[in-house]
């Protein structure tokens, strides 16, 4: 009998050894990573991918990667906001640590290491290609990237996945001799849902799913490009999302407000070189796990401060020991409406959301989060609340100071067009505040704001105004006053715009957006002195030392100078233009304005000899292609009696103005040229 037992044990041992050898060999092959491609599908909830169980075949290319790789079926994001979610993705930290809580938050600690900076230090060429201005480099996520492409045709707020691919492939084709980290971001699944053909027709009844199908098609293009460049077999491919989409569940139409699972549950697929078997992992994972996981796979020591978990053990058949893991999640969006914030913890079974009326859900029995168990399972709720409290205390860095919303107006316009609201929100000491209103009671106000933005885009200004004014009656907060100011400006009701704008500034004195809107209202109502006063107050509220803030100082001084020039107070205008150039000397429009003021001024402030080199520099910075700047240059020459130069420059300016169809400027230049040829070498203002 013993001999028989040994006889049966030997094959079993051999089989086990062969199995172990196969796993080790497969992982060893998988470790031969030369390139890394991280693809982020914006606004993509996991349950709309066919490999995650969607009823229609939306994602054949992602499905194919999952069949040869590792699908994490319970992956989460810490926040349903594009910018802070990507900050978490790139740093392996939660928003409480990295300091970004909304798409309008400017501050990003340049000392904090990102996945790109870690890989670049390892010798990787790093490139990022994004689909929306929400990820504009001004926000700081370009840290560590050799190439960060966020320039869109016609200064649009977003671009299609195929356009992202086009510029990404141009860059990738030049990097075949170097190890590469390529980040690709597709924004298409973000509302409005309007997929191109044939997906518009195929998903006519479900355009959101059609957008996801379209982005999957573009992922197929990435895979083909990697194969064409002989890079596919040595590339680690990661496909995930920054957040999901509520699609009307719990009353929210899109995302950013609630932290229910439809907004937090995201797809996550890893395809390693050499892997060819499907693995489905049901343990909890997060987008903050990407940094430590990639670091392990390529032999980099991860930053000590990260909160993400290394998932590489799953790839070597050595998964981490089972643990009762809980992931932090948040939304500060309700604060805009005077409500409490939403913060929570999510695990495999339990999810706790802390706010005015806390919520506890058993996700295994109630995946739709419909039954609040906070009363019947009060002990479980108390445990998670205390855990949340500890995480919050440990994660917040005292040195992270939110600097408020000091964005360029054009960028703010892009964010507004894309459905994001006004000023930046910060947690401060309000994470566990329960004194304000419950966010669940104000979701309709949030939806009203979004509806008003769509009405404005459709030029239905009167309807938008009624909606916002009704919202003010219910909830007199900054957000609605700022919106009312903007709408009244568009309607040319400047008195009303001033009334709403002054209230917005009163509620948020540090808001540059509110002050600029109020300046526009005062200027349009011909109250230049009041407009100038707002710019001066805005300058007083700007902090010192930040390069981005310096750029804003330059802009404000320029705008204040333009007001003084309109008032014919050229001495004061000259002071402001010079101040602007102190903060940024490479501004051709400011150089031109200063040169013009020096030519227009009277008495000792008039100085054509100073105006000439300034005008020449402005023209040189614009390759002698700007007819307005050339006009100033010609004026300066004429003021110094440089007849030949004045004629030559005026002729070029006339040619450019005529080609551009600027008939007013062309007529002025033509008349002036005639005067020059008559021997009258002067140029009246």
């Amino acid at each position: 009998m013993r001999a028989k037992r040994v006889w049966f044990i030997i094959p079993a041992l051999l089989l086990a050894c062969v199995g172990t050898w196969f796993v080790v060999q497969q992982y060893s092959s998988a470790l031969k990573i030369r390139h890394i491609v991280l693809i982020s599908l914006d606004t993509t909830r996991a349950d709309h991918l066919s490999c995650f169980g969607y009823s229609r075949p939306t994602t054949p290319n992602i499905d194919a990667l999952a069949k040869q790789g590792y699908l994490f079926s319970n992956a989460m994001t810490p926040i349903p906001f594009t910018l802070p979610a990507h900050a978490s993705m790139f740093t392996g930290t939660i928003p409480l640590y990295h300091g970004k809580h909304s798409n309008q938050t400017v501050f990003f600690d340049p000392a904090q290491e990102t996945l790109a900076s870690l890989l670049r230090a390892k010798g990787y060429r790093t490139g990022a290609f994004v689909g929306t201005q929400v990820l504009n480099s001004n926000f700081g996520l370009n840290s560590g990237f050799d190439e960060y492409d966020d320039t869109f045709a016609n200064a649009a707020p977003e671009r299609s996945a195929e356009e992202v691919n086009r510029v990404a492939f141009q860059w990738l084709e030049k990097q075949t001799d170097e190890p590469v980290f390529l980040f690709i971001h597709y924004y298409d699944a973000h509302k409005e849902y309007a997929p191109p053909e044939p997906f518009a027709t195929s998903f006519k009844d479900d355009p959101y799913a059609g957008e996801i199908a379209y982005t999957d098609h573009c992922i197929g293009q990435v895979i083909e490009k990697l194969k064409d460049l002989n890079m596919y077999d040595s590339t680690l491919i990661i496909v995930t999302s920054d957040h999901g989409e509520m699609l009307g569940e719990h009353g929210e139409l899109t995302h950013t407000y609630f932290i229910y699972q439809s907004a937090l549950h995201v797809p996550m697929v890893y395809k390693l070189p050499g892997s060819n078997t499907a693995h489905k992992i049901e343990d909890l994972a997060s987008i903050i796990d990407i940094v430590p996981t990639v670091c392990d796979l390529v032999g980099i020591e991860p930053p000590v401060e990260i909160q993400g978990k290394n998932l590489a053990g799953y790839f070597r058949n050595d998964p981490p020991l089972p643990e009762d893991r809980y992931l932090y999640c948040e939304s500060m969006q309700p604060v805009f409406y005077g409500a409490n914030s939403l913060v929570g913890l999510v695990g495999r079974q339990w999810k706790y959301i802390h706010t005015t009326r806390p919520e506890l859900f058993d996700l295994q029995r109630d995946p739709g989060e419909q039954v609040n168990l906070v009363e019947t399972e009060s002990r479980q709720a108390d445990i998670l609340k205390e855990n949340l409290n500890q995480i919050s205390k440990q994660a917040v860095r005292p040195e992270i100071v939110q600097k408020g919303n000091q964005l360029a107006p054009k960028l703010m316009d892009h964010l507004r067009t894309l459905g994001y609201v006004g000023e930046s929100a910060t947690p401060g000491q309000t994470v566990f505040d329960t004194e304000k209103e419950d966010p669940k009671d104000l979701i309709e106000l949030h939806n009203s704001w979004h509806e008003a933005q769509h009405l404005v885009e459709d030029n239905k200004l009167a309807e938008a105004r009624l909606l916002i004014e009704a919202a003010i009656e219910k909830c007199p907060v900054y957000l609605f006053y700022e919106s009312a100011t903007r709408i009244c400006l568009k309607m040319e009701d400047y008195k009303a715009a001033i009334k709403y704008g002054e209230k917005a500034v009163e509620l948020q004195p540090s808001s540059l957006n509110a002050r600029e809107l109020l300046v526009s209202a005062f200027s349009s109502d011909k109250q230049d002195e009041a407009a100038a006063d707002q710019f001066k107050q805005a300058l007083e509220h700007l902090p010192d030392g930040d390069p981005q803030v310096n750029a804003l100082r330059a802009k404000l001084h320029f705008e204040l100078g333009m007001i003084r020039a309109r008032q014919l107070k050229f001495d004061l205008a000259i002071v402001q233009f010079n101040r602007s150039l102190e903060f940024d000397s490479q501004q051709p429009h400011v150089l031109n304005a200063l040169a013009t003021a020096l030519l227009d001024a009277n008495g000792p402030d008039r100085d054509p000899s100073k105006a000439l080199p300034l005008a020449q520099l402005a023209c040189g910075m614009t390759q002698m292609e700007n007819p307005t700047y050339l006009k100033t240059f010609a004026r300066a020459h004429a003021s110094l009696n440089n007849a030949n130069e004045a004629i030559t420059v005026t002729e070029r300016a006339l040619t450019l103005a005529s080609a551009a169809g600027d008939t007013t400027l062309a007529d002025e230049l033509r008349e002036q040229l005639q005067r020059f040829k008559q021997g009258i070498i002067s140029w009246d203002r």
Side-chain angles (χ1 to χ4, degrees):
M1 289 293 292
R2 276 183 191 170
K4 286 184 179 179
R5 285 176 184 168
V6 172
W7 179 253
F8 282 112
I9 289 171
I10 290 172
L13 287 172
L14 286 172
L15 185 61
C17 289
V18 169
T20 302
W21 176 86
F22 176 77
V23 169
V24 170
Q25 286 298 108
Q26 186 182 39
Y27 184 69
S28 176
S29 174
L31 282 180
K32 296 174 182 176
I33 296 169
R34 179 170 172 79
H35 310 295
I36 301 165
V37 175
L38 172 59
I39 302 175
S40 175
L41 311 177
D42 208 291
T43 323
T44 300
R45 51 189 280 173
D47 62 7
H48 274 56
L49 277 67
S50 39
C51 55
F52 281 80
Y54 196 59
S55 58
R56 300 177 66 177
T58 51
T59 52
N61 292 296
I62 300 175
D63 299 354
L65 292 174
K67 287 175 183 176
Q68 295 182 318
Y70 298 80
L71 183 151
F72 288 84
S73 61
N74 281 297
M76 302 292 158
T77 182
I79 184 168
F81 261 104
T82 296
L83 179 64
H86 282 95
S88 288
M89 189 186 298
F90 285 178
T91 64
T93 63
I94 60 177
L96 286 176
Y97 185 87
H98 61 63
K100 285 185 175 287
H101 302 275
S102 73
N103 285 342
Q104 297 86 290
T105 308
V106 176
F107 182 76
F108 188 79
D109 185 356
Q112 189 169 359
E113 291 185 291
T114 66
L115 182 58
S117 63
L118 291 165
L119 290 170
R120 184 163 69 176
K122 181 77 172 176
Y124 283 75
R125 293 285 297 168
T126 55
F129 301 85
V130 302
T132 174
Q133 290 286 357
V134 177
L135 296 184
N136 188 286
S137 57
N138 287 334
F139 292 112
L141 287 190
N142 59 336
S143 176
F145 284 104
D146 298 312
E147 177 80 12
Y148 194 95
D149 190 292
D150 61 354
T151 304
F152 304 165
N154 301 318
E158 60 183 300
R159 59 182 171 184
S160 70
E162 286 180 288
E163 179 60 20
V164 172
N165 278 357
R166 185 185 66 79
V167 290
F169 293 169
Q170 288 176 352
W171 179 82
L172 190 61
E173 288 166 356
K174 302 174 184 176
Q175 315 300 328
T176 54
D177 294 333
E178 303 283 347
V180 164
F181 170 50
L182 171 62
F183 172 67
I184 294 177
H185 169 260
Y186 299 142
Y187 196 66
D188 304 81
H190 196 279
K191 192 175 179 72
E192 301 291 327
Y193 317 128
E197 294 293 357
F199 306 98
T201 298
S202 301
F203 292 88
K204 186 176 181 180
D205 59 336
D206 192 354
Y208 173 68
E211 291 280 29
I212 294 173
Y214 167 62
T215 56
D216 177 82
H217 165 74
C218 293
I219 288 176
Q221 294 176 341
V222 175
I223 293 169
E224 287 305 311
K225 175 57 70 172
L226 291 171
K227 290 179 178 178
D228 290 345
L229 297 174
N230 294 319
M231 299 172 74
Y232 179 78
D233 291 333
S234 58
T235 298
L236 164 66
I237 301 174
I238 306 169
V239 179
T240 190
S241 176
D242 56 348
H243 56 75
E245 186 82 316
M246 291 301 295
L247 298 177
E249 295 173 11
H250 294 272
E252 185 176 4
L253 302 178
T254 55
H255 60 276
T256 73
Y257 194 84
F258 285 134
I259 52 173
Y260 296 116
Q261 292 297 88
S262 297
L264 299 186
H265 185 202
V266 296
M268 184 177 288
V269 173
Y270 286 76
K271 167 64 175 72
L272 282 74
S275 65
N276 52 28
T277 306
H279 304 265
K280 184 178 181 181
I281 297 156
E282 296 183 354
D283 292 345
L284 207 61
S286 171
I287 62 174
I288 67 172
D289 299 336
I290 291 173
V291 171
T293 302
V294 171
C295 285
D296 181 291
L297 292 174
V298 299
I300 297 175
E301 188 69 27
V304 295
E305 70 271 11
I306 61 174
Q307 290 101 39
K309 174 181 173 182
N310 181 6
L311 305 177
Y314 293 106
F315 310 147
R316 61 173 69 99
N317 203 32
D318 182 24
L321 292 173
E323 61 174 320
D324 195 15
R325 186 183 190 190
Y326 283 91
L327 293 167
Y328 172 84
C329 53
E330 71 164 50
S331 171
M332 301 297 159
Q333 194 74 353
V335 174
F336 288 123
Y337 307 97
N340 284 312
S341 59
L342 293 163
V343 291
L345 289 179
V346 56
R348 283 288 307 279
Q349 179 180 3
W350 296 105
K351 179 175 181 180
Y352 174 74
I353 300 175
H354 187 80
T355 190
T356 314
R357 298 194 303 275
E359 296 174 283
L360 179 72
F361 300 107
D362 184 339
L363 297 177
Q364 294 181 358
R365 295 183 178 181
D366 178 26
E369 299 164 285
Q370 298 297 318
V371 182
N372 184 3
L373 302 175
V374 76
E375 298 292 339
T376 57
E377 298 285 351
S378 58
R379 177 169 171 75
Q380 182 66 48
D382 288 342
I383 291 171
L384 292 181
K385 178 182 177 181
E386 180 55 30
N387 288 346
L388 178 61
N389 187 30
Q390 292 302 316
I391 288 173
S392 299
K393 288 179 179 179
Q394 293 167 8
V396 172
R397 289 187 293 165
E399 66 270 26
I400 287 291
V401 179
Q402 297 293 347
K403 298 189 178 180
N405 178 23
Q406 308 294 352
L407 299 183
K410 187 64 176 177
L411 190 49
M412 281 304 302
D413 287 343
H414 286 322
L415 295 179
R416 200 170 291 104
T417 298
L418 296 168
Y420 297 110
V421 300
E423 299 295 296
S424 58
T426 60
Q429 302 300 317
T430 64
V431 171
F432 285 90
D433 187 0
T434 57
E435 298 302 316
K436 300 184 181 70
E437 290 197 61
D438 191 290
K440 295 183 284 293
D441 297 333
L442 299 181
I443 182 60
E444 288 307 318
L445 284 174
H446 178 67
N447 291 337
S448 292
W449 187 89
H450 276 277
E451 184 181 348
Q453 305 319 300
H454 292 306
L455 289 169
V456 170
E457 289 172 36
D458 294 337
N459 205 36
K460 298 178 180 178
L461 300 176
E463 293 178 49
R465 180 173 175 175
L466 287 174
L467 200 59
I468 290 297
E469 288 178 336
I472 288 174
E473 289 294 317
K474 297 177 184 176
C475 184
V477 295
Y478 166 83
L479 174 64
F480 295 134
Y481 282 110
E482 190 232 47
S483 295
T485 308
R486 192 176 305 280
I487 291 167
C488 289
L489 272 172
K490 288 179 178 291
M491 297 179 73
E492 300 182 357
D493 185 349
Y494 302 127
K495 299 295 185 187
I498 290 170
K499 180 185 71 171
Y500 289 125
E502 287 181 328
K503 186 63 178 179
V505 167
E506 177 188 329
L507 291 170
Q508 289 203 19
S510 64
S511 169
L512 180 59
N513 290 311
R515 290 194 183 277
E516 289 203 314
L517 287 172
L518 187 51
V519 165
S520 295
F522 279 130
S523 296
S524 299
D525 202 43
K526 308 211 182 306
Q527 299 186 45
D528 282 338
E529 202 56 47
D533 183 62
Q534 289 301 317
F535 273 133
K536 287 189 286 186
Q537 290 189 52
L539 284 163
E540 291 172 2
H541 281 88
L542 290 179
D544 294 320
D546 188 307
Q548 291 185 10
V549 173
N550 285 344
L552 288 165
R553 284 187 181 279
K555 179 182 184 302
L556 289 173
H557 281 295
F558 168 71
E559 296 289 355
L560 183 52
M562 293 301 291
I563 290 174
R564 296 309 188 196
R566 287 198 300 272
Q567 294 175 314
L568 305 183
K569 298 177 180 180
F570 297 112
D571 55 335
L572 299 179
I574 290 167
V575 171
Q576 295 302 323
F577 294 143
N578 276 313
R579 289 287 288 150
S580 179
L581 291 170
E582 287 175 17
F583 289 104
D584 182 359
S585 61
Q586 303 300 304
Q587 302 179 86
H589 63 289
V590 182
L591 291 165
N592 179 73
L594 177 55
T596 302
L598 288 166
L599 294 170
D600 287 340
N602 297 310
D605 295 304
R606 175 176 164 78
D607 196 337
S609 62
K610 286 185 179 179
L612 183 66
L614 292 167
Q616 184 175 17
L617 184 56
C619 291
M621 292 172 69
T622 51
Q623 291 76 49
M624 304 292 284
E625 294 291 330
N626 187 306
T628 301
Y629 299 172
L630 288 167
K631 169 192 166 183
T632 306
F633 192 22
R635 280 189 66 195
H637 275 302
S639 297
L640 294 170
N641 207 34
N642 300 330
N644 291 336
E645 292 84 351
I647 291 171
T648 300
V649 175
T650 304
E651 287 175 336
R652 177 164 180 78
L654 176 58
T655 300
L656 291 170
S658 299
D662 189 341
T663 56
T664 301
L665 179 57
D667 288 344
E668 180 187 357
L669 292 167
R670 192 176 293 109
E671 181 180 340
Q672 189 62 47
L673 193 59
Q674 187 65 31
R675 285 164 56 84
F676 286 160
K677 291 180 178 179
Q678 293 172 356
I680 305 172
I681 309 303
S682 65
W683 199 315
D684 295 332
R685 185 190 307 159

